[in-house]
Amino acid sequence: MRDPVQAAASRRWRGCKGGESSAPGAGKALASARFYGRIMTSTEYQRRVRRPALAASALVLAGVTMAACAAPTTSSVTSKPVGFEDVQSATIQIEAVGSFVSPEEGGYEVAGRGSGFLISRDGIAVTNNHVVVGAGTLDVWLGGDTSRTYNAKILGSSECLDLAVIQLPGDAFPFFDWREGEIKTATDVYAAGFPLGDPTFTMTRGIVSKASTPGETPWASLDSVIEHDARIRGGDSGGPLIDDKGRLVGVNYAGNDVHDTNLAIHRDEVTAVLDDLIDGKSVLSLGINAQAIADENGQGLGIWVSSVQSGSPADKAGIEPGDLLTKLQGVTLAQDGTLADYCDVLRTHGQDATLDVDVYRPADGIYYRGQFNGDELEAVQVLGNAGGEDDSGGSSEVAEGDFVSITDDSGSIQVEVPAAWNQLDGAGYTNDDGTWASVIASPDMAGFEDGWNTPGVWVAASPDASAKVTPDVLLQRADEFLAQNCTPEPPAAFDDGVHTGTYTVYEQCGGVGAAYLFLAATAKDGSYTITVAVQANTEADLAAIDRVIGSFIAQF
């Protein structure tokens, strides 16, 4: 196989010039269309600018409910946990007011309501991370009594476990105790909460269908969840799942109306981290309200950030609501439409580690790279006008979300390319500079290799070459051929925070108007040298350039 420097003519891609790229999948069908895990409702709020995509009307009502009596006052509370007859008194409704960004609807200011429950006399309560994180204020009502509002604060949270602990002011609250012993299949359970944003307390009855099963959803990554058939609906997020004695068995967090499935975070998952959360230590968390999103074909796009906790690692790194996290520590996120990849990185490295992150920001159409607990985000150098206007004044772009992540045969190189470029060659090669990992993608491999009429991409990387040849020399070699067939622009420096090097854009290639970009760079840690070559033949092809340049990486 020829290498991309010596045979640049056979990998003819085109460069592009400044402009904005389209959001990769914002507004596409989400995993939430299949799983409504964020079972939290939104009330109308005067200052909101757009309606959030948390439509309670899409949820099916539960079949069994239990009416509740008025909430008792805290003056009658004893030091004992509540029993079944007093479950309402220790169940809370939470209204989180703040600015959030939806992947479907964009930014809005909203008062969203969820549920929770008290676990101590002194006002410690448990709820879901997605109910409270990123809120500007938290208002709490006890047992459905809206005559008194408590202002709560967040103590600790976890997006991976979808848990949060909040503190209410006071010292005489009714509270729940935890069920002891094994939680078995067919155990009678009751889901308590305030569905649909209504202050009227509701309970539904069912049994445990699965006592413990993994819980990989777009909103959490849990080792153990309880599957049950006590119906939960929008607004029940964070509410308690209890047994027939009023003891806690789990925290409701997700459900599926189509399959009549309701999920609660298992008691053991909660109690294992409860002390840390109470002490103000977040667990498996970088401080975001997270949702894995996918396109209408189920192709994972990344982790959507709807809000950010002030002072968190995400906040310090420069993450903003409306960002899409595409990679974390070199791992492509949400490939299966869940938080599993994101949370596995945190489990491997810890939330306090310095973690590389790739981010796409649809609001400005720019890719960023940076670090959690390290360097702040910086814009990746944009080489083209992807998503910008063409000469005719129209807008041309690759379809949103129409990208896939590809690797070479050795798994050393990773890059995102249009899904239409589905002919791949991942074989490596060896030349005078050393052994190279290599991956090529094009809609027509033969056409890409042999002419100027077909778009494609070729990425090659070598640890050997980093000690033998500089990026400038590699660019000069490619230029010897390309300048004979194209009109080159002046070379420019390249720095994306991970690599430094040089690139040149070539126009009017091969007499057919094709454009070609050749980039040569070295990893900042000196571990490898990489070349990236892209050819584009239509305005639509240009949209691929930013995605390629913003996503390529190698690991040896």
Side-chain angles (χ1 to χ4, degrees), residues 26-289:
K28 289 295 184 180
L30 307 180
S32 56
R34 299 184 298 275
F35 222 94
Y36 65 79
R38 305 169 72 80
I39 47 175
M40 173 181 176
T41 59
S42 301
T43 60
E44 290 299 323
Y45 191 70
Q46 276 190 331
R47 291 176 290 171
R48 66 193 291 180
V49 296
R50 303 189 71 177
R51 182 181 178 85
L54 300 176
S57 60
L59 306 177
V60 180
L61 297 181
V64 179
T65 62
M66 299 180 65
C69 55
T73 62
T74 57
S75 60
S76 63
V77 173
T78 69
S79 59
K80 295 181 179 180
V82 298
F84 185 81
E85 66 279 4
D86 292 319
V87 165
Q88 178 181 355
S89 68
T91 305
I92 61 175
Q93 186 175 37
I94 304 166
E95 183 173 81
V97 180
S99 295
F100 299 83
V101 178
S102 161
E104 287 184 322
E105 301 295 335
Y108 55 89
E109 190 166 352
V110 67
R113 291 187 178 182
S115 300
F117 53 91
L118 290 150
I119 59 169
S120 72
R121 277 178 55 87
D122 57 356
I124 301 294
V126 174
T127 185
N128 288 146
N129 178 85
H130 75 255
V131 171
V132 298
V133 164
T137 62
L138 293 178
D139 292 335
V140 175
W141 298 284
L142 180 61
D145 179 6
T146 58
S147 65
R148 178 176 180 182
T149 300
Y150 296 86
N151 295 118
K153 67 177 180 180
I154 301 172
L155 298 181
S157 61
S158 171
E159 59 261 28
C160 288
L161 306 180
D162 201 10
L163 287 172
V165 168
I166 63 175
Q167 173 75 67
L168 279 62
D171 59 3
F173 290 97
F175 63 95
F176 286 98
D177 198 4
W178 298 93
R179 175 187 172 100
E180 297 181 358
E182 185 180 1
I183 299 170
K184 297 181 179 180
T185 300
T187 298
D188 289 333
V189 290
Y190 300 80
F194 298 90
L196 310 181
D198 193 321
T200 302
F201 175 76
T202 299
M203 286 177 67
T204 58
R205 182 176 62 190
I207 63 170
V208 172
S209 306
K210 292 182 181 178
S212 179
T213 187
E216 303 294 353
T217 68
W219 305 276
S221 176
L222 293 149
D223 291 332
S224 179
V225 303
I226 297 169
E227 184 178 318
H228 61 90
D229 62 1
R231 182 66 63 86
I232 53 179
R233 295 162 287 170
D236 280 326
S237 286
L241 186 69
I242 59 171
D243 65 12
D244 57 4
K245 302 238 179 352
R247 299 168 301 183
L248 296 166
V249 297
V251 183
N252 289 314
Y253 84 106
N256 185 307
D257 284 337
V258 174
H259 301 292
D260 192 22
T261 300
N262 308 278
L263 301 178
I265 305 165
H266 196 288
R267 170 203 63 196
D268 295 348
E269 289 266 24
V270 184
T271 56
V273 299
L274 195 53
D275 287 344
D276 282 341
L277 296 177
I278 292 172
D279 290 341
K281 301 174 184 176
S282 292
V283 178
L284 292 175
S285 174
L286 296 172
I288 62 175
N289 202 324

Side-chain angles (χ1 to χ4, degrees), residues 23 41-42 91 156-157 161 169 185 232 291 299 313 319 326 389-390 402 412 419 472 481 506 516 534 553 555-556:
T41 59
S42 301
T91 305
S157 61
L161 306 180
T185 300
I232 53 179
Q291 176 184 354
Q299 175 68 40
I319 301 295
T326 59
E389 292 189 350
D390 58 25
D402 196 17
S412 301
D472 286 341
F481 174 84
Y506 298 85
Y516 196 95
V534 189
I553 195 71
Q555 292 182 318
F556 292 95

Side-chain angles (χ1 to χ4, degrees), residues 416-431:
E416 295 174 14
V417 302
W421 296 5
N422 56 7
Q423 293 189 19
L424 305 178
D425 181 350
Y429 61 91
T430 300
N431 64 12

